[in-house]
Amino acid sequence: MIFLTALSLFWIMISASRGGQWGAWMPSSISAFEGTCVSIPCRFSFPDELRPAVVHGVWYFNSPYPKNYPPVVFKSRTQVVHESFQGRSRLLGDLGLRNCTLLLSNLSPELGGKYYFRGDLGGYNQYTFSEHSVLDIINTPNIVVPPEVMAGTEVEVSCMVPDNCPELHPELSWLGHEGLGEPTVLGRLREEEGTWVQVSLLHFVPTRETNGHRLGCQASFPNTTLQFEGYASLDIKYPPVIVEINSTVEAIEGSHVSLFCVADSNPPPLLTWMRDGTVLREAVAESLSLELDEVTPAEDGVYLCLAENTYGQDNRTVGLSVMYAPWKPTVNGTVVAVEGETVSILCSTQSNPDPILTIFKEKQILATVIYESELQLELPAVTPEDDGEYWCVAENQYGQRATAFNLSVEFAPVILLESHCAAARDTVQCLCVVKANPEPSVAFELPLRNVTVNETEREFVYSERSGLLLTSILTLRGQAQAPPRVICTSHNLYGTKSLELPFQGAHRLMWAKIGPVGAVVAFAILIAIVCYITQTRRKKNVTESPSFSGGDNPPVVFSSDFRISGAPEKYESERRLGSERRLLGLRGEPPELDLSYSHSDLGKRPTKDSYTLTEELAEYAEIRVK
């Protein structure tokens, strides 16, 4: 049963094949170079039962319907064709064998279009097939490049030209392929729809330098002047490469800086300027600049230019060095140290370039470094002389800054040698000068009277501090006749120092003890001595001069001839001035005089034309009495 069913189906298929239907086959499109020819392959079929004696056919141009009066390309019955195809068209196929292949020669652009075939079996057995072929008249070879070509990867580029003219066959050659590779000619190939092409292949490994290279293919026809050329620009894809960027940039603080970055890639890259991971600017471009206005030290650092596309990335860095004057130096604060300790002082700053750092005190350089940002000053075993104000100075070619700091050295009191007591009229003043840090306490002790006077007793003690010096003055009234012993004692947390204050100006104390009456007596004695000396010198001069007789006038002795032994030059010069100037001058200390003169000369007086030393001493005595 199954066998009979399969056999019946087989006979049905055979019957359908023998009967046939109206149909045609031709390539949907075909191309040919201008000036050459083209053969359009064509086959058709019709029902077998028609069995025509003669088969005719007609080729139409651009329309399949006769009622539209399309141009006739070829007509087997009458050979009447449109003027555009006269002498250009002929049938290559045998219509009796159902072959309708058409040959068109001397092609020109106006012949490009659609071609339809109509079968004519006589009577009403005529049929226009819907199948048609589109003729494309070309004048350039077709260069086929893969849609994506990457640098470093081998690529195949082909040149394809139609070879559908049985009378002329093209020959292919490459243009501009030098350095790329040697071409390979595959020859004539049949396409799927029955058309033919000539193909030549070129294999090479592209580089970024070949991007945009113009590659050409030439088709020529032997024994003719026909030549056709076609070109294609290579679109090579490759990752970015940064080809230009700033070198290290130096700029002065406050100036304008422009950083630029240029990259080569295909497709164009995404360029990004970054610093410390922060995106500053980005754009899809071949070059990108970063503008920095009024740069500051905070913008000093390394900047990154990143270029990336689908095929890779590249990056480069550029350093920006902002030059600026030193910042105000910082030190480790005001330092307090105990005498004998080691003190370390650190001074630091920031600048570009690094500065010259110097530490000095009272214009004396203590330490210095060149092109360093820190300076360490070591003071081993500090003394009170190290106490005071110090300066740290930082300097470079763009400016100078300085910072002052203090070193306070703490030490036990030291009573200076200028401490003493002195009598003045009916008072005694005791001066105690103490050097110490921190500020000490001062007390005056009178051991013979078992009395201690502190500096807090303002009625008797006046104190004044200047820097490390404390000056205290004790005033004792009514003590000039018999001044007591005075001991100055100073104390702070580091120790205690005492000193018995010496008395100064003993001659003043002597005059204070003698009093006014004693002064008169003393000066009277001095006057007598001076007069005696004067008379003695006068007699000696008369005796030694033989040219003078007893009746001659005695020589006049002027006060200018006297020189008091031991008298200061100031007294000698003052004696020559007027009486008012002399009186003022005699208010000072009494001169030290030579007391070796005789009392016998006191009654002798010099002439009235001279101002004698006796009168001067008398005036001096009067002043002292007053």
Side-chain angles (χ1 to χ4, degrees), residues 32-266:
F33 283 106
E34 182 180 358
T36 64
C37 66
V38 64
S39 172
I40 302 176
C42 175
R43 297 190 304 272
F44 67 98
S45 63
F46 53 86
D48 291 338
E49 62 270 16
L50 294 182
R51 300 179 186 273
V54 179
V55 178
H56 291 279
V58 180
W59 279 94
Y60 291 114
F61 181 65
N62 279 339
S63 177
Y65 305 110
K67 63 181 181 180
N68 294 331
Y69 302 103
V72 175
V73 177
F74 173 81
K75 189 172 184 181
S76 61
R77 283 184 180 273
T78 63
Q79 303 296 320
V80 176
V81 298
H82 189 271
E83 60 183 2
S84 300
F85 295 96
Q86 288 181 359
R88 293 183 172 184
S89 62
R90 64 190 177 95
L91 193 66
L92 293 181
D94 186 351
L95 297 178
L97 299 177
R98 304 181 185 185
N99 188 334
C100 52
T101 301
L102 177 68
L103 176 66
L104 298 176
S105 59
N106 194 18
L107 297 176
S108 59
E110 67 271 13
L111 299 186
K114 297 177 181 180
Y115 287 82
Y116 294 89
F117 178 71
R118 177 180 175 85
D120 182 4
L121 304 183
Y124 294 99
N125 296 320
Q126 298 182 15
Y127 188 84
T128 300
F129 300 97
S130 60
E131 293 83 357
H132 63 276
S133 183
V134 178
L135 174 61
D136 184 20
I137 308 300
I138 64 173
N139 53 23
T140 58
N142 181 28
I143 299 177
V144 180
V145 180
E148 184 175 271
V149 180
M150 291 183 58
T153 304
E154 187 180 46
V155 65
E156 178 185 273
V157 179
S158 62
C159 177
M160 302 178 65
V161 295
D163 189 8
N164 296 307
C165 178
E167 301 171 356
L168 296 172
H169 296 285
E171 292 182 354
L172 300 180
S173 60
W174 287 93
L175 304 175
H177 70 289
E178 295 81 5
L180 297 180
E182 292 300 323
T184 302
V185 179
L186 294 183
R188 192 165 185 261
L189 299 179
R190 180 183 175 87
E191 296 181 300
E192 292 182 356
E193 293 189 336
T195 58
W196 296 84
V197 292
Q198 282 277 1
V199 179
S200 179
L201 303 179
L202 185 64
H203 292 86
F204 61 95
V205 177
T207 63
R208 66 178 59 247
E209 289 76 19
T210 57
N211 181 48
H213 181 77
R214 198 160 180 255
L215 186 63
C217 178
Q218 183 184 76
S220 60
F221 294 86
N223 303 319
T224 69
T225 59
L226 297 176
Q227 283 188 346
F228 302 93
E229 295 179 356
Y231 292 90
S233 294
L234 299 179
D235 185 18
I236 311 299
K237 309 297 184 182
Y238 53 91
V241 173
I242 296 176
V243 296
E244 187 176 2
I245 194 171
N246 302 74
S247 57
T248 299
V249 177
E250 290 186 357
I252 300 175
E253 181 179 11
S255 63
H256 176 82
V257 174
S258 178
L259 303 180
F260 61 88
C261 179
V262 180
D264 175 35
S265 73
N266 187 25

